[in-house]
Amino acid sequence: MHSTKIKEGDEREEMELNQIWRGCRKLQGAIFRYNFDICADLKQHDPGCSGFVSEPIFTAILGKYRKVAGMSETELRDVTDYFQIRDGRVAYRQFCKVVCSETLHKTPKTDLATGLEWNDPWHINVIPHPEDRRKLCLILLKIAQEIHIPLMPYFQDYELIAQNVGVVTVAHFSRVLHFMKIPLSEADFLLLLRRYMKDGYLVNYVAFLKHIENIIAYLGHHHLLDNSHEIIKNFPGRLVDLELSQLPAIDGCKMIHPIFPDACNHPKKNRSQCDIIFCIQNYVYKNQVRTSEFLESYDALRIGSITKNQFERGLSNMGVGKYLTQRELGILLERYTDPLDINRVRWRSFVDEIDTGERVARAWKIFFKLFLLSFLAVFTIKNLDKMPQCAVESPLRHIQDLPRPGAVDWQAAPLTVRELCEEAMVKIRIRIRNRRLYLHPFFRSYDKLNSGHVQCNIAKQIFRTNGILLSDPEQDSVLIRYGNELGFCYTKFLDDVDPAEYAMPSMVTKQELVECPPFARDNLEQEDASEEVIVRILTSAKRQAVVKGVAVIEFMSDYDRHREGEILESDFKRALDNSSVIVKEEEATILCNIFRSPRRTSCVRYRDFCKALDEIFIQLDTNMGDQVVTAVPLLHLPNLDCVDCFLSFEERTICSQALMKLARKPDEISNLSQVFKDFDREQCGSITQNQFLRGITVRDMHVMLSSREFQTICKCFGVKKGMCMEFNYREFLKILDVLFTTGQMKRNY
């Protein structure tokens, strides 16, 4: 190939010329398809026209076109080594003769007359029907939107194989469209063939690509495509799509504006910093959100700042992101940008401002000088535990009275609109009073969600239905005053225009809260610590301790860390409350005075008090004056009878005789306890009356009782549980055992 001789033993002797020729052919094909000039790039680095360049330059220039030509790195290295001379340089002129001259300067060996001179290169067929032409235009438009790379090289590859001039076969045309993933139905493909078919079996791809390029140029010139190569949705109908348009993407920051503007909704377009902060504070207050929990997880090092993307994600997780536009989010990011790092946001400052509102107060200081103190605490105050006497107003007035989005600031409304609204309100009041109108059912019938709002056209319809005739300016002024983003607030409107009592439901009358009159047994005067009062208080405490079965000393000994037998008066009262021994405040004070410690006036001897309560369970006694104390157990059974279980004298007599009959078969003989336990799955000691009857029937004891005796026994051992009366079988079995043991049973002689 070149005049350089290769020494014996050189590595290039082992090269196969077929591999080198394959790499050169790939470069020739790429030069033919894309028409780039490698020789010109190489000549720029050879100012002396020596025909040689360094190996790195040659490799870099070929590497620029390697992926276009489809060469591997091995082929590129083989080509470089083949054209390299002894001093390391590369003979690029020889390379250009091999690669470029055969493609660019080679004279075509074709016939002088091919027979195609009279053929039109832009040949297309005529489609007579206008609907087909319309459909063809839409197909070409969609193909122009689908493709993002030129199609000419793909068709030229098939042209080289078939030796055609500007045409390919139908199969090749279909293959290219399928490879480019252009979705075409069979009818659409046949319509394309009808347009660009030539000679009955070929397709004029040149005319097809020319039309596609013209469509792309037209769309780009008139700015009809967006960044995703889709036609702009709001373009006014110059290019009509046969398919139904998709619904627009939902923007959570703002509502979709209808064609006809809503007379009730008046959104504020550009909210200031204070409006944005107030909106976030209102959301946080209503939803009980802890702001710091959504942001501190991104601050792993606890430096007080996070990135802007993390701050935006935190607001979205909090639920505030859907109420903020990109402009308002940018205002927040600019407000809390870290001065040390402009790419981070000081989230702690944001949380402090939302919780305390200090910076908002400083921003509004000019406008609210008189109310500056009320802005110092929105929800709480920092270090509140160090200020026990500080009273916090939560939330503040400006958060409570914050109007709903879309409502108009009525105080800032034009004077003419307010005057028209007052005149309209007077007319509506007169109409309601004269005709005795009741408008509540009309509005509620349209308010399916009970939100207190209806649509503006519904409000106008209700006015016309009830004969409330207003002019258009008066009607619009009323809608402006009571309108917001949800519609017409009829609850507030009816409160202002119809506050009469007859318009309210009369089924439930409003009653003022009146304190109950004092009972005769209630002694409002402070009781003296007399012996009778002390005995009554101790008796009440004993009764509660017995019924509830609590050990009061266990609750009080927890406060006696040093086991001195004395605790503070406040701990004594707290222990009584914890042990469910309920006494009044005055009674607890009397108990403290009785058992007060002589050594410490602020302490109470709780052990003496507990010893007095323990006399409920044991009786302390001495024998003949000695110092030996004996404890005699006493049995106290609480009265668990209810009103329904009360027995008269006759019923008690019948119950006694029936129990003496049943005592012939006590539990040790009849084993009734096992039958009753099978029914008592919860092991609560009571069963139903039906289960009691089934149990004695199993042991053949039901024949001993009449129906009246059975009802009397059920009433005697009845226990009220919820709304039902159950049978206490454990007490019943104990009584039977006692009667059998003492011999008080009725025998058959």
Side-chain angles (χ1 to χ4, degrees):
M1 284 268 176
H2 53 83
S3 59
T4 306
K5 295 182 179 180
I6 302 176
K7 291 182 178 182
E8 295 181 358
D10 197 339
E11 295 179 356
R12 288 179 290 178
E13 285 185 344
E14 300 178 0
M15 295 182 185
E16 295 184 4
L17 294 180
N18 291 334
Q19 297 179 359
I20 300 171
W21 187 247
R22 188 183 300 111
C24 294
R25 279 298 184 188
K26 289 183 179 180
L27 288 172
Q28 287 179 352
I31 292 172
F32 176 78
R33 285 195 298 270
Y34 300 105
N35 196 21
F36 53 82
D37 193 358
I38 299 179
C39 300
D41 295 341
L42 292 171
K43 287 179 181 179
Q44 293 179 1
H45 300 280
D46 185 18
C49 298
S50 61
F52 301 97
V53 293
S54 63
E55 181 185 359
I57 294 176
F58 185 80
T59 306
I61 293 175
L62 288 188
K64 183 170 64 173
Y65 302 104
R66 181 177 66 84
K67 291 186 178 180
V68 178
M71 294 178 63
S72 64
E73 293 183 357
T74 305
E75 293 174 345
L76 177 62
R77 195 181 308 111
D78 292 343
V79 171
T80 305
D81 293 341
Y82 184 76
F83 290 99
Q84 190 175 6
I85 61 178
R86 297 175 183 176
D87 58 356
R89 294 182 297 171
V90 179
Y92 75 90
R93 188 171 294 175
Q94 299 294 334
F95 170 77
C96 292
K97 286 181 181 180
V98 174
V99 176
C100 301
S101 299
E102 294 187 4
T103 58
L104 299 179
H105 304 290
K106 183 179 180 181
T107 57
K109 296 179 180 181
T110 58
D111 298 335
L112 296 177
T114 60
L116 299 175
E117 289 78 11
W118 296 100
N119 292 341
D120 185 10
W122 313 109
H123 173 80
I124 55 175
N125 301 320
V126 178
I127 297 180
H129 299 291
E131 58 273 10
D132 292 341
R133 292 197 298 269
R134 177 70 171 175
K135 187 176 181 180
L136 179 64
C137 293
L138 294 174
I139 294 172
L140 294 176
L141 176 62
K142 291 183 179 180
I143 294 175
Q145 290 178 316
E146 291 290 336
I147 62 174
H148 303 289
I149 58 176
L151 295 175
M152 181 65 75
Y154 298 94
F155 288 107
Q156 287 178 347
D157 289 343
Y158 287 108
E159 186 179 359
L160 286 174
I161 297 172
Q163 295 296 325
N164 293 324
V165 181
V167 292
V168 293
T169 61
V170 176
H172 291 169
F173 184 74
S174 175
R175 255 185 232 122
V176 171
L177 296 181
H178 178 72
F179 180 75
M180 297 303 297
K181 298 181 180 180
I182 298 176
L184 287 177
S185 63
E186 184 178 358
D188 296 343
F189 183 72
L190 293 177
L191 187 59
L192 284 177
L193 294 181
R194 286 175 54 191
R195 182 65 170 173
Y196 300 103
M197 185 71 74
K198 186 178 181 180
D199 297 335
Y201 69 99
L202 300 175
V203 179
N204 189 359
Y205 73 88
V206 178
F208 170 72
L209 296 179
K210 185 63 177 177
H211 290 173
I212 296 295
E213 292 175 359
N214 292 338
I215 292 174
I216 295 175
Y218 177 82
L219 295 176
H221 178 70
H222 292 84
H223 304 288
L224 301 180
L225 295 179
D226 54 10
N227 295 331
S228 61
H229 295 277
E230 296 290 340
I231 296 180
I232 299 175
K233 299 298 182 183
N234 296 331
F235 186 73
R238 293 185 181 178
L239 297 174
V240 181
D241 195 354
L242 293 179
E243 298 178 358
L244 293 176
S245 60
Q246 297 180 357
L247 294 176
I250 297 176
D251 188 1
C253 303
K254 59 181 180 179
M255 299 178 64
I256 301 175
H257 297 286
I259 299 176
F260 300 100
D262 194 355
C264 295
N265 190 12
H266 303 84
K268 194 172 183 179
K269 295 183 179 179
N270 297 324
R271 293 190 292 184
S272 61
Q273 289 185 0
C274 295
D275 294 333
I276 299 172
I277 297 298
F278 288 164
C279 176
I280 298 175
Q281 288 176 348
N282 185 32
Y283 176 83
V284 170
Y285 168 69
K286 288 184 177 180
N287 296 276
Q288 300 296 317
V289 177
R290 293 183 180 271
T291 314
S292 60
E293 293 181 357
F294 294 90
L295 298 175
E296 65 181 358
S297 59
Y298 297 106
D299 189 8
L301 301 178
R302 297 297 185 266
I303 59 178
S305 63
I306 57 178
T307 62
K308 293 183 178 181
N309 292 334
Q310 291 173 347
F311 183 74
E312 185 175 355
R313 288 201 300 269
L315 293 181
S316 300
N317 296 336
M318 195 189 309
V320 184
K322 60 183 177 181
Y323 297 104
L324 300 177
T325 61
Q326 290 296 328
R327 171 190 166 273
E328 295 170 351
L329 185 61
I331 292 175
L332 279 180
L333 294 176
E334 182 180 358
R335 180 183 180 90
Y336 299 105
T337 301
D338 192 353
L340 301 179
D341 187 359
I342 60 174
N343 295 323
R344 302 181 71 86
V345 179
R346 294 179 299 176
W347 68 272
R348 290 191 185 276
S349 301
F350 171 75
V351 172
D352 293 342
E353 187 166 347
I354 293 300
D355 293 341
T356 62
E358 294 177 357
R359 295 186 64 185
V360 180
R362 291 197 293 269
W364 285 67
K365 184 176 180 181
I366 301 175
F367 305 100
F368 298 96
K369 291 183 179 180
L370 297 178
F371 302 96
L372 180 61
L373 293 177
S374 64
F375 279 86
L376 293 179
V378 177
F379 305 108
T380 184
I381 295 178
K382 276 193 167 184
N383 301 323
L384 188 61
D385 53 344
K386 300 178 182 179
M387 298 178 290
Q389 302 299 327
C390 180
V392 180
E393 181 185 359
S394 178
L396 293 180
R397 184 62 58 186
H398 73 280
I399 299 298
Q400 293 180 354
D401 299 339
L402 189 68
R404 186 180 290 274
V408 176
D409 187 4
W410 189 244
Q411 301 300 327
L415 182 60
T416 56
V417 176
R418 288 189 290 175
E419 291 178 353
L420 281 174
C421 182
E422 292 300 331
E423 294 177 1
M425 296 290 285
V426 171
K427 291 182 181 179
I428 296 173
R429 290 192 188 98
I430 294 174
R431 186 69 176 178
I432 291 175
R433 184 175 63 252
N434 294 341
R435 299 294 298 272
R436 289 292 190 265
L437 297 178
Y438 184 41
L439 300 178
H440 292 76
F442 292 94
F443 286 104
R444 287 176 186 153
S445 61
Y446 292 100
D447 186 13
K448 302 299 182 182
L449 301 178
N450 294 326
S451 62
H453 295 77
V454 295
Q455 298 181 3
C456 295
N457 56 348
I458 298 297
K460 295 178 181 179
Q461 180 180 348
I462 292 174
F463 290 159
R464 291 193 298 268
T465 303
N466 290 274
I468 302 175
L469 305 179
L470 301 174
S471 61
D472 291 340
E474 293 175 346
Q475 204 171 53
D476 293 339
S477 63
V478 174
L479 296 179
I480 290 172
R481 179 174 180 178
Y482 297 100
N484 51 49
E485 64 176 0
L486 297 181
F488 181 75
C489 184
Y490 68 88
T491 55
K492 187 177 179 182
F493 168 74
L494 293 177
D495 291 341
D496 294 342
V497 80
D498 189 15
E501 293 294 336
Y502 61 84
M504 302 300 295
S506 58
M507 296 179 63
V508 180
T509 59
K510 291 184 178 180
Q511 297 180 357
E512 295 183 358
L513 209 54
V514 181
E515 296 183 359
C516 297
F519 293 98
R521 64 177 181 270
D522 294 339
N523 188 10
L524 300 180
E525 298 180 357
Q526 188 174 2
E527 297 179 340
D528 297 332
S530 59
E531 183 179 358
E532 182 181 357
V533 174
I534 295 172
V535 171
R536 181 177 59 80
I537 296 173
L538 289 176
T539 304
S540 175
K542 291 178 183 180
R543 181 182 58 81
Q544 296 183 46
V546 171
V547 173
K548 298 175 182 178
V550 294
V552 184
I553 191 171
E554 296 180 0
F555 294 90
M556 294 188 176
S557 60
D558 294 339
Y559 297 99
D560 187 12
R561 296 183 179 180
H562 302 288
R563 296 298 183 264
E564 298 176 350
E566 299 175 355
I567 58 176
L568 294 175
E569 182 178 350
S570 58
D571 295 338
F572 179 79
K573 295 179 180 179
R574 190 177 295 112
L576 285 178
D577 293 336
N578 295 338
S579 61
S580 300
V581 177
I582 302 173
V583 294
K584 297 180 180 179
E585 184 68 24
E586 296 81 4
E587 296 174 351
T589 305
I590 294 174
L591 290 177
C592 293
N593 294 332
I594 295 172
F595 298 98
R596 191 171 299 278
S597 174
R599 296 183 299 173
R600 302 172 186 172
T601 57
S602 60
C603 295
V604 179
R605 293 179 298 178
Y606 71 93
R607 290 181 180 175
D608 295 345
F609 172 75
C610 294
K611 188 180 295 184
L613 290 183
D614 288 340
E615 293 179 358
I616 304 166
F617 305 101
I618 59 175
Q619 182 180 4
L620 301 177
D621 194 6
T622 58
N623 295 325
M624 300 302 293
D626 55 1
Q627 296 181 356
V628 179
V629 180
T630 59
V632 181
L634 299 177
L635 182 60
H636 291 268
L637 297 177
N639 185 12
L640 300 179
D641 294 341
C642 58
V643 178
D644 297 335
C645 298
F646 177 75
L647 298 178
S648 61
F649 177 76
E650 183 180 1
E651 291 175 342
R652 287 197 299 271
T653 304
I654 295 174
C655 181
S656 177
Q657 295 177 356
L659 290 174
M660 292 173 64
K661 293 180 183 179
L662 295 175
R664 302 172 193 166
K665 295 183 179 181
D667 186 29
E668 60 182 14
I669 297 176
S670 60
N671 198 13
L672 270 176
S673 60
Q674 296 300 325
V675 180
F676 291 151
K677 285 180 181 179
D678 292 340
F679 292 118
D680 187 11
R681 299 293 179 87
E682 292 81 8
Q683 300 296 327
C684 59
S686 61
I687 57 177
T688 62
Q689 296 183 7
N690 187 16
Q691 292 172 347
F692 171 66
L693 178 59
R694 290 164 59 188
I696 61 176
T697 304
V698 170
R699 300 307 181 194
D700 200 17
M701 297 173 61
H702 65 288
V703 296
M704 301 180 183
L705 302 176
S706 63
S707 60
R708 187 176 180 183
E709 291 174 344
F710 175 78
Q711 294 295 335
T712 306
I713 292 176
C714 291
K715 188 176 180 181
C716 178
F717 296 95
V719 178
K720 191 75 171 181
K721 289 192 177 181
M723 302 298 294
C724 302
M725 184 69 69
E726 295 188 357
F727 183 79
N728 190 353
Y729 68 89
R730 292 177 179 174
E731 297 294 334
F732 170 74
L733 294 176
K734 288 180 182 179
I735 295 298
L736 292 186
D737 292 339
V738 171
L739 293 177
F740 179 78
T741 303
T742 57
Q744 300 181 17
M745 53 185 178
K746 194 171 184 180
R747 303 181 183 275
N748 293 326
Y749 294 103

